[in-house]
Amino acid sequence: MAPHPSGAPGVQVTHELEQPFPGASDYEVTCAASAPPSPTRTPRDCAEAEGGGCRGAPRKLRARRGGRSRPKSELALSKQRRSRRKKANDRERNRMHNLNSALDALRGVLPSFPDDAKLTKIETLRFAHNYIWALTQTLRLADHSVYGLDPPAPPYGELGSPDGGSAGDWGSLYSPVSQAGSLSPAASLEERSGLRVATSPACQRPGAPAFADFL
DNA sequence: TAGGCCATCTGGTCCT
DNA sequence: AGGACCAGATGGCCTA
């Protein structure tokens, strides 16, 4: 797919590439060090506390600060707004470029699909999800065969499928996600191209079915 | 032509 | 004040 590999017309790609991992820029580091990812963001409890804020900023102080600012003409305000918007757009564009670089890095470590188009974003994420799950199962099975004993019941969420299912043998190695049908990138690829998914050597072990067989 | 995917813009919200 | 993040809107490109 990839209608326009380098983006829409007029797009200047300014993000830094050629890094070991594109996500390792200062940008991401600072992001990781600061706020937790959005899912844990607090709901907008304070939305109604506009202006005064809910983090202890004294209203008096804010009012005083506000009063100190110099009144600006409509023209100057409009100019400033435009300038701010433009800068915000640049940042947003750069942010999305970084996100895409990280996605590309993720594509790079996933088994490749010869002759087929680049995975879409959603396919990449879903494939990575299933791939990690499958690798986990492989490790588990390897342990199983080496020690020849039943592994202890895994703690919740450790060895079961990412979606909560549990799998104990190859017969059950189909990720529930894959079984659901619509979420398997391999399946979608086969649908798209009729290709049988190629399997990376690193994904196989002697006597074990190829990942493609259960992805 | 419809639908999918994508890049970009934009305004809102939260955080520093 | 300004940056980061997010989600909705919009328009372009491509394919079936």
Side-chain angles (χ1 to χ4, degrees):
Chain A
M1 185 151 296
H4 29 68
S6 60
V11 172
Q12 66 285 24
V13 179
T14 57
H15 64 293
E16 67 298 328
L17 288 173
E18 314 310 321
Q19 288 186 349
F21 173 62
S25 64
D26 290 342
Y27 175 83
E28 271 76 12
V29 169
T30 53
C31 284
S34 59
S38 56
T40 60
R41 273 199 169 186
T42 58
R44 321 250 147 131
D45 295 328
C46 309
E48 73 285 353
E50 86 285 347
C54 55
R55 283 179 290 280
R59 280 172 184 268
K60 266 188 184 176
L61 186 61
R62 293 209 167 193
R64 222 172 45 199
R65 276 198 209 137
R68 206 185 286 171
S69 64
R70 174 179 290 176
K72 288 179 176 172
S73 73
E74 203 56 36
L75 181 69
L77 274 174
S78 164
K79 250 185 174 177
Q80 189 189 35
R81 268 197 296 268
R82 267 203 301 273
S83 162
R84 272 211 287 262
R85 218 332 102 196
K86 189 169 183 299
K87 277 206 283 186
N89 288 347
D90 285 346
R91 285 194 305 272
E92 179 65 11
R93 209 180 307 124
N94 200 45
R95 196 179 70 86
M96 295 311 295
H97 286 168
N98 281 325
L99 189 61
N100 287 339
S101 295
L103 218 40
D104 279 340
L106 183 57
R107 282 188 190 100
V109 298
L110 291 174
S112 56
F113 303 90
D115 290 347
D116 199 37
K118 184 171 121 179
L119 290 173
T120 65
K121 292 180 175 184
I122 189 68
E123 283 171 345
T124 301
L125 291 175
R126 284 172 174 159
F127 185 25
H129 174 269
N130 286 357
Y131 187 48
I132 291 169
W133 182 86
L135 288 175
T136 303
Q137 296 305 312
T138 302
L139 286 176
R140 187 186 179 192
L141 230 89
D143 282 350
H144 214 145
S145 60
V146 164
Y147 297 110
L149 39 79
D150 282 342
Y156 174 77
E158 187 189 339
L159 289 176
S161 84
D163 293 309
S166 65
D169 57 14
W170 287 105
S172 55
L173 270 177
Y174 289 88
S175 156
V177 173
S178 297
Q179 284 179 317
S182 64
L183 293 182
S184 166
S188 70
L189 278 169
E190 289 185 28
E191 281 173 21
R192 275 166 39 175
S193 63
L195 267 181
R196 189 69 186 152
V197 174
T199 305
S200 152
C203 304
Q204 298 184 8
R205 67 187 184 90
F211 268 104
D213 291 337
F214 56 83
L215 276 179

